[in-house]
Amino acid sequence: MKKSKATAPKPRRRIAIRPRITPGAPPGTLSPVPGSAPAKITVLTAAGNMAGKVREIADISTLPKADAKSKTSYWVRVTGLGDLAPLLALRDYYGLQNMAFEDMLNQGWRSKIEHLDEYLFFVLQSPLLTQEGSRNEHLCIFYSGNLIISFEESPTTLVDSLWQRLAASPVPAHIQHVAAYFVYAALDMVVDRFYPLLDKKDDALAELEESLDADG
């Protein structure tokens, strides 16, 4: 009888990449994301319950700051993490914690939420199914009062689609805190994106179970 050749095991495919940790580096060490573009800053303004025009910002000193008394909400979107200089300027302008910035620049951390001084800090891994397979979109959000500041290595489909949705329809009239609603909408979209992935895993498990029953 001819022996069949053993096939090499297939490598595991990870949805999320591993964190980039440099052994011996002190806590809070910042380094740009390799291959990412320099930062581009855009701002979505919502006056009352209606999202307004998106504008690009060249001068950081003109960016809005959190103001609990203002009825206007702002979403400051930063895409591109390949150059530290503008990112550090944003960190200092908004008083963001350096340790959170280290997590923001490291694309492999799991999703989490932390309360940092006046900001809530979110690290989000949003699954995305494509024809090539599964991958994660990494999104970090700082939220305070009427202000959201988000960071992406490259423009994510999650924020693209969410901004389009917010621009097309007003926030429900009963919502009192519009910026908080925007954060909620982002989190809700992340959760929704897990369902197609779970359905795919469920189908794979069902097929495996059927093949085991047939072999038995």
Side-chain angles (χ1 to χ4, degrees), residues 46-51 71 166 169-176 178 182:
N49 288 63
M50 196 72 187
K71 293 184 179 180
L166 295 173
S169 57
V171 175
H174 67 276
I175 299 295
Q176 299 297 314
V178 174
F182 288 174

Side-chain angles (χ1 to χ4, degrees), residues 69-184:
K69 296 180 180 179
S70 175
K71 293 184 179 180
T72 301
S73 298
Y74 303 96
W75 186 332
V76 179
R77 183 185 188 186
V78 184
T79 55
L81 307 177
D83 183 0
L84 274 184
L87 300 176
L88 295 179
L90 279 163
R91 178 199 63 185
D92 296 340
Y93 183 78
Y94 282 115
L96 305 176
Q97 285 199 7
N98 204 64
M99 294 294 288
F101 243 60
E102 183 183 20
D103 290 348
M104 180 271 291
L105 288 167
N106 200 327
Q107 305 291 285
W109 297 118
R110 295 181 182 274
S111 297
K112 65 176 182 177
I113 177 174
E114 294 181 345
H115 195 180
L116 305 174
D117 298 329
E118 70 269 31
Y119 290 98
L120 284 176
F121 174 56
F122 301 82
V123 175
L124 302 175
Q125 297 287 355
S126 174
L128 181 65
L129 283 177
T130 66
Q131 292 183 345
E132 292 76 27
S134 303
R135 63 180 177 86
N136 259 15
E137 293 188 324
H138 181 86
L139 172 67
C140 286
I141 292 176
F142 294 86
Y143 163 68
S144 178
N146 67 331
L147 178 67
I148 301 167
I149 313 158
S150 65
F151 294 86
E152 304 155 72
E153 178 185 354
S154 58
T156 62
T157 60
L158 186 145
V159 178
D160 283 344
S161 58
L162 181 56
W163 276 26
Q164 291 172 6
R165 193 178 86 191
L166 295 173
S169 57
V171 175
H174 67 276
I175 299 295
Q176 299 297 314
H177 302 285
V178 174
Y181 174 80
F182 288 174
V183 174
Y184 165 80

Side-chain angles (χ1 to χ4, degrees), residues 28-51:
T29 299
L30 304 181
S31 57
V33 176
S36 184
K40 175 184 176 182
I41 306 172
T42 50
V43 177
L44 173 68
T45 302
N49 288 63
M50 196 72 187

